[in-house]
Amino acid sequence: MDSVRADQLIFANVEAEQSPAGKRGFQTILLTQGGFTAEDMYRIEERLFYVPGSRQVDKHVFFGRGDARFVVARVVACEGTDRFGRGGRYLAHALAFSARDFGQLGNNPFRVFRRFPFLDTVEQALSVGDLRSGSIEPAKVEVPDAAAGGSSTDFDPREFLPLLLLACQARALSEERRPLAFVGNPAAMFELLEGLFSVLPSAVRRDCWFDTVFSEGSVGRIPCFAIGLPPGEPKPQGSLVFDLEGARFQGVVDVQPPHLFARWVKQVAETNRGAARRLSLQGDAAFVMASWG
């Protein structure tokens, strides 16, 4: 099976003896040498914050560094406390792809989340990286067969048509700092987004940046198309709130197709006859044709 390259960055809360810099606290402990500029590191690290509260849940993050690079990351809670008895320890494992290599994966981060063996502990990370230099080799990520196709059998485009139409304007929503706020279980958000991505064309997926555990985050600093929040947490001003448990928006949300491609999506979804498969198989071609208009 073919594979693509991904530069790796490991961020965690460690003791001084586990740090290449010899200091304790939150820091990047390993990264692929030559794979990241100082600005890359800063922009990636600021998205790897993790405030799960009482929920020890995995956080999944996807975003772009412009249109040239795309980052897929998982953040997990670590057991135990630091030497001062403080909890809240976690480890983040980020993979950075060139636009070309990410395109080989259909611009779909879920093909990475479902197949790549992300690291879970600091001990695992230090067993595969070099502590003295702080370096870790690039990862190889397998490219699934027929990477551009396939759809989630559980995703109903007609039921979730407003989400589809919002995804068609994901870049504008991110730039306007008006995210789609999913309230509830992060695992439910992950599964719903996976279904949504399965029927989006690859060019649209690139703009659908998300963070499934965004507690205490700021969309002013960290723009996203979709963020995950627990019930009761304040929502960003102007956000569109989707209740995961009830599978519905809070309040009246009237989403109209903003352009020709979105009108095609709406027409296909409302036919309800193999809509998911048709969107999955024909979406890329339809997106290109619509851009010509």
Side-chain angles (χ1 to χ4, degrees), residues 223-284:
C224 282
F225 159 65
I227 59 175
L229 295 172
E233 179 156 329
K235 319 302 185 295
Q237 184 175 3
S239 60
L240 301 167
V241 181
F242 188 88
D243 175 26
L244 287 162
E245 184 175 2
R248 64 181 182 272
F249 283 96
Q250 293 182 7
V252 177
V253 177
D254 182 19
V255 185
Q256 297 300 318
H259 44 62
L260 181 59
F261 173 72
R263 291 197 291 273
W264 177 81
V265 168
K266 183 174 186 292
Q267 181 182 28
V268 172
E270 289 179 341
T271 63
N272 206 28
R273 295 190 299 271
R277 179 171 176 78
R278 185 179 174 192
L279 289 170
S280 175
L281 296 178
Q282 300 178 5
D284 284 306

Side-chain angles (χ1 to χ4, degrees), residues 15 23 27 30 43 57 88 92 101 104 109 111 116 130 134 165 167 170 195 197 202 211 234 238 249-250 262 266 290:
E15 302 297 343
K23 63 179 184 179
Q27 61 195 280
L30 298 170
R43 294 302 177 187
V57 295
D101 284 343
Q104 293 296 307
R111 291 180 179 139
F116 184 78
D130 181 10
L165 297 180
F197 269 67
S202 59
D211 182 325
F249 283 96
Q250 293 182 7
K266 183 174 186 292

Side-chain angles (χ1 to χ4, degrees), residues 75-91:
V75 187
V76 295
C78 294
E79 295 183 355
T81 61
D82 64 16
R83 64 178 54 184
F84 300 105
R86 295 173 299 195
R89 299 173 63 243
Y90 65 84
L91 178 137

Side-chain angles (χ1 to χ4, degrees), residues 11-50:
F11 182 86
N13 182 358
V14 297
E15 302 297 343
E17 60 269 21
Q18 297 173 311
S19 164
K23 63 179 184 179
R24 63 175 178 265
F26 286 102
Q27 61 195 280
T28 291
I29 58 173
L30 298 170
L31 78 165
T32 301
Q33 298 299 313
F36 302 92
T37 65
E39 179 69 9
D40 286 335
M41 288 181 59
Y42 174 77
R43 294 302 177 187
I44 293 172
E45 288 177 353
E46 72 175 350
R47 287 182 178 265
L48 301 180
F49 69 96
Y50 180 65

Side-chain angles (χ1 to χ4, degrees), residues 42-278:
Y42 174 77
R43 294 302 177 187
I44 293 172
E45 288 177 353
E46 72 175 350
R47 287 182 178 265
L48 301 180
F49 69 96
Y50 180 65
V51 186
S54 61
R55 308 172 302 166
Q56 298 297 304
V57 295
D58 292 353
K59 166 180 167 121
H60 296 87
V61 179
F62 165 62
F63 67 99
R65 290 283 293 126
D67 291 323
R69 209 160 196 216
F70 295 89
V71 178
V72 179
R74 192 190 70 165
V75 187
V76 295
C78 294
E79 295 183 355
T81 61
D82 64 16
R83 64 178 54 184
F84 300 105
R86 295 173 299 195
R89 299 173 63 243
Y90 65 84
L91 178 137
H93 187 178
L95 303 176
F97 299 86
S98 69
R100 178 178 179 180
D101 284 343
F102 197 55
Q104 293 296 307
L105 297 166
N107 292 331
N108 192 339
F110 293 96
R111 291 180 179 139
V112 183
F113 288 131
R114 290 297 189 185
R115 302 176 68 90
F116 184 78
F118 286 90
L119 299 172
D120 294 312
T121 67
V122 172
E123 290 71 25
Q124 279 184 329
L126 296 180
S127 72
V128 297
D130 181 10
L131 176 61
R132 289 188 299 175
S133 65
S135 66
I136 186 171
E137 291 297 311
K140 291 184 177 180
V141 179
E142 292 183 350
V143 178
D145 294 335
S151 63
S152 172
T153 57
D154 295 330
F155 187 81
D156 182 350
R158 186 171 186 175
E159 179 183 359
F160 296 109
L161 178 58
L163 295 181
L164 272 171
L165 297 180
L166 289 169
C168 291
Q169 47 191 312
R171 176 170 292 199
L173 291 173
S174 294
E175 291 174 348
E176 294 167 6
R177 305 304 196 265
R178 295 181 58 234
L180 179 56
F182 288 89
V183 176
N185 188 339
M189 176 183 175
F190 181 92
E191 292 179 3
L192 182 54
L193 284 179
E194 183 175 22
L196 179 65
F197 269 67
S198 74
V199 299
L200 291 173
S202 59
V204 174
R205 292 171 183 158
R206 292 159 54 109
D207 295 330
C208 293
W209 304 355
F210 62 82
D211 182 325
T212 61
V213 183
F214 201 73
S215 295
E216 300 187 23
S218 167
V219 294
R221 291 191 308 105
I222 306 173
C224 282
F225 159 65
I227 59 175
L229 295 172
E233 179 156 329
K235 319 302 185 295
Q237 184 175 3
S239 60
L240 301 167
V241 181
F242 188 88
D243 175 26
L244 287 162
E245 184 175 2
R248 64 181 182 272
F249 283 96
Q250 293 182 7
V252 177
V253 177
D254 182 19
V255 185
Q256 297 300 318
H259 44 62
L260 181 59
F261 173 72
R263 291 197 291 273
W264 177 81
V265 168
K266 183 174 186 292
Q267 181 182 28
V268 172
E270 289 179 341
T271 63
N272 206 28
R273 295 190 299 271
R277 179 171 176 78
R278 185 179 174 192

